[in-house]
Amino acid sequence: MKEKRIQKITLLIAFFVPVFIASFLRFWDIGLRPFHSDEGVNSFFLLNLFDRNYYHYDPANYHGPFLYYIGLIPFYLFGISDFTFRLMPALFGVMIVALFFPLRRRLGTMGLLTTGLLVAISPANAFFSRDTIHEIYLVFFSLAVVVSFFLYTETKKSRYIYFAATSIAFVITIKETYILTFAVYALSLAFAYCYEMISLSKGVRFLYCKDTFTAFANHCKKNRYAVGISVGILILITFLFYSSFFTYYSGIKSILTTLKIWTKTGTHSGGHTKPFFYYFKLLYKFEFPTLALGIAGFYYSFRHGNKFTVFIAAWAILIYVTYSLIPYKTPWLILNILLPLSIMGGIFVNSIFGMMKEKWHYAIFYPLFIGIFGFSCYQSLMLNFNNYDDERYELVYVQTKRDIYNLLDRLKSLSNTCGQNMAINVVSREYWPLPWYLREYKNAKFWGGIIENPNAPVIIVDKTSETELKKKLKGNYKKERFALRPGVWLTAYIQQGLYETGFGKEITAKTNTPSLAKISEKELERGLIAKYYYNIECIGTPFSSRVEKDSVSFIYNDETKKPYRSPFGIEWEGYLSITQKGVYQFATRSDDGSVVYIDGNMVVDNDDIHATRYISGVIPLDEGFHPVRIKYFDGGGGAIMEFLWTPPGEKESLVPGQILFHKR
């Protein structure tokens, strides 16, 4: 009796611990990461459905209808917010972990705990469960199909036929890649039965094959009503979603059309083409415990396995090969590979745990077990709460930069001056997810390009259209630049009067250079004061501030070697010691922009986004200390900055740290 109670408690721990961890990693500060551009598009369709009751499925446009209809539930219950928009994928991310519980007899208690932890703590699973995209729903219902099938083989209860049919229907309504999932399932199931048949003696194989088909036919006959109802459920759910609940019957025709369109997308993938081993590299870098334990599980499955373990092994191998062969690759597709690998890892750990007898076995096992998952937990925490927009981490893919929050803060400051009814013309060709964030600004218009009269209190334009915009501007504007996502830059043009009203104090602080009055060396210390910002305009509060005594010089040609995520800006300020009167040349060699001010005058203008570029300027200087301010920003890719000078009669070199000072 006591032993059964202990087993029950252990089983509950194996279930609830992963569920609790999954809940924390998916729900905590869920609005921290800016919306991905795909989320911006999805939010547009969802808001249309919520506000105007309008959604029509388009086979060429952003996958199936399930995401939008399931997303209505939290909107109706709790209102519109970042949290409610991301609530359902986070919830389904937790439900994936909970859905392993019905497989507890096949996984074992330790297998259930291991599989649950592998998915709960997985950096990729946690990361994409915090995104409102289709993949997490696809993974949940794909698992539900497998669970329903094997529960039926155990119990022969018809309700699992209904569960399977419902899950299959939802898979079809989520994403066109359902065809790959079902093909892999069919092949894996066939392989599992064939593997079991081959393990038998030759004389029994034919009888086994015959009995298998006979049993299948008998089950279909016995449960013909359940099968018929299940087919009806499948058709009804598919019809309801694709017809927009009987309001758009053309959506039904598109179920097959989408396969043709997305077959072309998968094979002609443009900028999303990746090499065959792309997913393996992601697994190795971010999901090594799952990869290692999953591979170890293959050995166990084929050596000691049954139909279930062989099916899972075949599923893992086939889904990996299938997605790796398709040229179109994005990091969230790795979730389809991680699911069976995690189950394989659980099967392997459970088998190892079952073989342990001695105390020293446990003394080795438990620290190793805790260490593995502790490392994964650290990776997951860093990715989801610190590096979530840092493209040096390959799971972060064309992610909106947190610099967008700086843009929103600037607009909020302006709206405090003239109200949220101020006109905002967004004439950028790239702007997602701004429609979501600017939904409260009733006069924010998204034109998709330069219009005949773009003038407004605030104009937002992308870098590629900026030259065309300048030709049509009337009046004086101040501009600030912001990173939307890698390779996409937005410039906010703000009418000068509004800018000065909204940011007057800040302008005064920024334009106040150190005093031009004579200053003695006793008042100074070596080095410039350097302030580091996670934006290119060096606005707001710096994330780091320190005195730097060396020359201003660094070269990071490799994105992964940079000490800070992009975009970042640096502002150095202090005094330049000049010991010889004359005309001096100053220069910067930088990637991206840099400017140099001496005595309050711009001497070097090497600003804007560009590859490595050298720009110089000259200024006459007297002996003494001269205020100097240097600004630099990096927008992505390489980060290079060199502050150079050519004193009278000398060769060009880095400005030495010995002549750079700051006020005590």
Side-chain angles (χ1 to χ4, degrees):
M1 190 73 177
K2 185 178 179 181
E3 187 177 340
K4 285 186 177 180
R5 184 182 298 173
I6 292 173
Q7 289 176 351
K8 189 174 182 179
I9 292 172
T10 305
L11 183 62
L12 290 174
I13 291 172
F15 172 72
F16 281 109
V17 167
V19 168
F20 174 79
I21 294 173
S23 300
F24 171 79
L25 288 175
R26 284 147 183 78
F27 282 104
W28 183 262
D29 205 1
I30 198 171
L32 176 66
R33 184 180 357 147
F35 280 18
H36 191 278
S37 58
D38 286 356
E39 288 187 283
V41 175
N42 290 336
S43 70
F44 173 79
F45 290 122
L46 183 51
L47 285 174
N48 261 349
L49 184 58
F50 180 76
D51 292 332
R52 299 163 49 200
N53 196 29
Y54 177 84
Y55 170 78
H56 286 170
Y57 172 68
D58 181 352
N61 195 23
Y62 302 102
H63 310 310
F66 178 86
L67 178 146
Y68 309 111
Y69 286 103
I70 198 71
L72 286 177
I73 297 173
F75 275 18
Y76 281 122
L77 292 177
F78 308 113
I80 298 173
S81 66
D82 291 5
F83 174 80
T84 55
F85 181 69
R86 284 177 167 167
L87 173 61
M88 294 310 291
L91 180 61
F92 272 77
V94 175
M95 288 164 60
I96 290 171
V97 178
L99 195 54
F100 293 125
F101 188 74
L103 298 175
R104 60 193 179 278
R105 292 185 182 86
R106 295 180 181 274
L107 294 173
T109 301
M110 183 54 69
L112 176 65
L113 176 64
T114 303
T115 303
L117 287 176
L118 286 173
V119 174
I121 298 175
S122 158
N125 271 289
F127 190 76
F128 294 116
S129 293
R130 296 165 65 88
D131 256 357
T132 301
I133 57 175
H134 299 73
E135 212 64 37
I136 203 70
Y137 299 121
L138 180 68
V139 171
F140 173 81
F141 285 110
S142 297
L143 177 60
V145 172
V146 174
V147 171
S148 299
F149 174 82
F150 282 101
L151 285 178
Y152 176 77
T153 61
E154 282 181 17
T155 65
K156 302 299 185 292
K157 293 180 179 178
S158 57
R159 63 170 175 262
Y160 296 117
I161 301 176
Y162 303 141
F163 291 158
T166 303
S167 300
I168 290 170
F170 282 132
V171 169
I172 294 171
T173 64
I174 292 167
K175 200 177 177 187
E176 66 290 333
T177 52
Y178 70 83
I179 197 72
L180 300 178
T181 301
F182 294 157
V184 166
Y185 281 175
L187 290 172
S188 300
L189 195 60
F191 183 84
Y193 276 94
C194 289
Y195 186 84
E196 188 173 67
M197 182 180 69
I198 292 170
S199 65
L200 301 172
S201 59
K202 290 185 178 180
V204 184
R205 290 175 186 173
F206 176 76
L207 186 61
Y208 171 86
C209 186
K210 180 182 177 182
D211 288 346
T212 300
F213 282 104
T214 302
F216 176 75
N218 289 336
H219 282 301
C220 289
K221 184 177 180 181
K222 181 181 178 181
N223 296 288
R224 57 186 179 276
Y225 295 114
V227 171
I229 293 171
S230 297
V231 171
I233 291 172
L234 192 155
I235 294 172
L236 177 63
I237 291 174
T238 306
F239 187 87
L240 281 174
F241 278 83
Y242 279 100
S243 69
S244 298
F245 288 78
F246 306 113
T247 61
Y248 181 66
Y249 294 103
S250 296
I252 301 298
K253 303 175 186 177
S254 302
I255 297 175
L256 296 178
T257 308
T258 189
L259 297 178
K260 182 179 179 181
I261 293 172
W262 285 95
T263 298
K264 184 177 179 181
T265 300
T267 54
H268 301 84
S269 50
H272 298 290
T273 300
K274 307 289 190 308
F276 179 85
F277 287 104
Y278 172 73
Y279 292 121
F280 183 84
K281 290 179 180 178
L282 289 182
L283 289 168
Y284 182 81
K285 185 171 182 178
F286 297 100
E287 304 284 353
F288 185 76
T290 303
L291 177 64
L293 293 174
I295 291 174
F298 292 149
Y299 171 80
Y300 174 84
S301 295
F302 291 114
R303 186 172 178 84
H304 306 287
N306 50 39
K307 278 197 292 286
F308 174 74
T309 55
V310 173
F311 169 83
I312 300 297
W315 173 18
I317 294 169
L318 289 173
I319 203 74
Y320 170 80
V321 172
T322 300
Y323 276 105
S324 295
L325 286 172
I326 297 171
Y328 183 101
K329 294 181 178 69
T330 53
W332 44 84
L333 295 176
I334 200 176
L335 301 187
N336 298 277
I337 301 169
L338 282 170
L339 180 60
L341 272 179
S342 299
I343 299 173
M344 290 305 305
I347 291 170
F348 172 72
V349 171
N350 190 70
S351 67
I352 294 297
F353 190 77
M355 292 187 289
M356 294 192 304
K357 304 294 182 184
E358 305 293 335
K359 288 184 178 180
W360 66 269
H361 292 164
Y362 297 101
I364 294 174
F365 176 83
Y366 284 120
L368 189 61
F369 188 84
I370 293 170
I372 288 171
F373 285 106
F375 174 73
S376 287
C377 192
Y378 170 78
Q379 278 192 308
S380 194
L381 289 170
M382 290 300 294
L383 177 67
N384 285 286
F385 300 102
N386 189 53
N387 302 317
Y388 50 82
D389 64 342
D390 190 342
E391 62 266 26
R392 292 176 298 176
Y393 298 82
E394 291 88 340
L395 287 176
V396 179
Y397 191 70
V398 292
Q399 170 64 41
T400 303
K401 296 287 188 178
R402 70 188 81 183
D403 196 24
I404 195 174
Y405 291 146
N406 292 316
L407 170 59
L408 298 176
D409 287 343
R410 303 302 268 182
L411 293 177
K412 185 177 180 181
S413 296
L414 295 174
S415 70
N416 290 337
T417 300
C418 60
Q420 285 194 325
N421 288 325
M422 68 178 180
I424 303 174
N425 277 339
V426 182
V427 293
S428 171
R429 284 176 286 186
E430 298 272 2
Y431 52 75
W432 301 106
L434 281 180
W436 170 267
Y437 288 118
L438 300 185
R439 65 188 185 278
E440 300 297 332
Y441 293 85
K442 302 306 179 185
N443 289 318
K445 307 294 183 184
F446 294 84
W447 300 100
I450 303 298
I451 56 176
E452 187 61 33
N453 180 17
N455 291 276
V458 179
I459 308 167
I460 298 175
V461 64
D462 59 325
K463 180 174 172 55
T464 57
S465 304
E466 198 169 355
T467 302
E468 186 182 354
L469 172 67
K470 288 178 180 178
K471 297 175 183 177
K472 299 188 177 185
L473 289 180
K474 296 177 182 178
N476 296 321
Y477 284 84
K478 299 288 287 184
K479 70 175 186 177
E480 292 185 349
R481 295 160 299 184
F482 303 89
L484 180 63
R485 56 180 173 272
V488 181
W489 295 86
L490 299 179
T491 302
Y493 280 80
I494 304 165
Q495 286 181 345
Q496 187 163 342
L498 176 60
Y499 188 89
E500 291 172 353
T501 303
F503 308 126
K505 292 182 180 179
E506 182 182 308
I507 295 169
T508 302
K510 284 287 184 182
T511 54
N512 280 344
T513 59
S515 173
L516 295 178
K518 284 192 175 182
I519 190 168
S520 68
E521 189 170 351
K522 292 181 180 180
E523 299 176 73
L524 302 175
E525 288 185 350
R526 278 275 312 279
L528 298 176
I529 296 174
K531 296 179 180 179
Y532 290 74
Y533 301 81
Y534 275 131
N535 59 73
I536 65 178
E537 297 290 356
C538 296
I539 56 177
T541 304
F543 68 85
S544 178
S545 181
R546 60 177 179 257
V547 174
E548 296 184 354
K549 297 182 179 181
D550 296 327
S551 299
V552 176
S553 174
F554 54 79
I555 298 175
Y556 300 107
N557 290 315
D558 187 346
E559 176 77 32
T560 61
K561 299 295 190 296
K562 291 192 299 190
Y564 315 109
R565 57 175 168 78
S566 301
F568 67 87
I570 311 173
E571 190 172 48
W572 294 272
E573 198 164 11
Y575 291 86
L576 189 68
S577 175
I578 298 297
T579 58
Q580 178 186 351
K581 181 179 179 180
V583 176
Y584 287 75
Q585 176 178 293
F586 291 90
T588 62
R589 181 182 292 109
S590 66
D591 172 8
D592 290 289
S594 57
V595 292
V596 177
Y597 297 88
I598 298 176
D599 289 340
N601 302 307
M602 182 185 286
V603 179
V604 178
D605 184 1
N606 197 4
D607 203 9
D608 215 343
I609 300 159
H610 52 72
T612 305
R613 187 172 72 182
Y614 174 93
I615 296 288
S616 65
V618 296
I619 184 173
L621 296 175
D622 294 326
E623 290 183 26
F625 294 96
H626 297 264
V628 61
R629 183 160 63 97
I630 309 156
K631 288 180 67 176
Y632 165 82
F633 77 86
D634 169 61
I640 297 171
M641 174 61 184
E642 292 179 326
F643 178 37
L644 307 155
W645 75 333
T646 307
E650 297 184 26
K651 293 183 179 180
E652 185 177 67
S653 63
L654 290 171
V655 177
Q658 293 91 327
I659 69 166
L660 300 174
F661 294 84
H662 69 280
K663 207 166 186 179
R664 292 178 186 270

